[in-house]
Amino acid sequence: MSQVKHLLQGKGNAIYSIAPDAPVLEAIKHMAEHRIGALLVMHGEQLVGVMSERDYARKVILQGRSSSQTAVSDIMSGNPLTVGPDTDVFDCMRLCTDSRIRHLPVVQDGKVVGVISIGDLVKAVIDAQAEQIEHLQRYITS
């Protein structure tokens, strides 16, 4: 499992999104309902940002703003970094850690086809390392 497309196959095809003009309260309810940490912010078919739990905490809760009167566009992270389905998992891990982000939209031919999280990447990297260790152990003991 070395490419993003393999991660997406394991996750299924669910893409959770919200419109930029929706109230933050609606976004938080949506994230809680689906047990996810972020939503893609879509204007029609166009990806315009990502709204995460961090954005909510930093830009609504800590600033004393109203969740029902604040628009998603006011707190979202705009111009999100994206990756393609053929991107290597290790490259995505570097991108997330270097950029200090937790969610990467996956775009193919200009269309969002999924989202991977830092958790997905960590699991994939650990699984790949465990497999390599197993192969090395077999080699050493054979």
Side-chain angles (χ1 to χ4, degrees), residues 93-134:
M93 179 65 91
R94 275 189 291 280
L95 181 61
C96 282
T97 55
D98 290 349
S99 304
R100 301 195 48 78
I101 57 174
R102 294 182 177 196
H103 301 89
L104 278 173
V106 182
V107 176
Q108 182 175 25
D109 300 325
K111 183 177 179 187
V112 176
V113 295
V115 179
I116 55 171
S117 69
I118 189 73
D120 299 328
L121 295 168
V122 168
K123 183 179 180 332
V125 167
I126 289 171
D127 289 350
Q129 289 177 342
E131 185 177 334
Q132 289 174 344
I133 290 169
E134 184 180 318

Side-chain angles (χ1 to χ4, degrees), residues 4-68:
V4 170
K5 62 185 168 190
H6 300 121
L7 290 179
L8 291 178
Q9 289 170 351
K11 289 182 69 166
N13 296 327
I15 298 173
Y16 301 105
S17 65
I18 195 152
D21 59 347
V24 169
L25 182 60
E26 183 181 326
I28 292 300
K29 287 179 180 179
H30 197 52
M31 287 191 291
E33 177 184 326
H34 295 288
R35 302 180 76 183
I36 56 175
L39 289 171
L40 297 181
V41 183
M42 305 287 292
H43 184 69
E45 294 288 316
Q46 183 181 1
L47 175 66
V48 294
V50 175
M51 189 200 128
S52 69
E53 294 168 328
R54 278 183 172 180
D55 294 323
Y56 177 67
R58 289 180 180 160
K59 299 173 185 172
V60 176
I61 299 295
L62 292 178
Q63 293 182 9
R65 297 170 83 173
S66 166
S67 297
S68 60

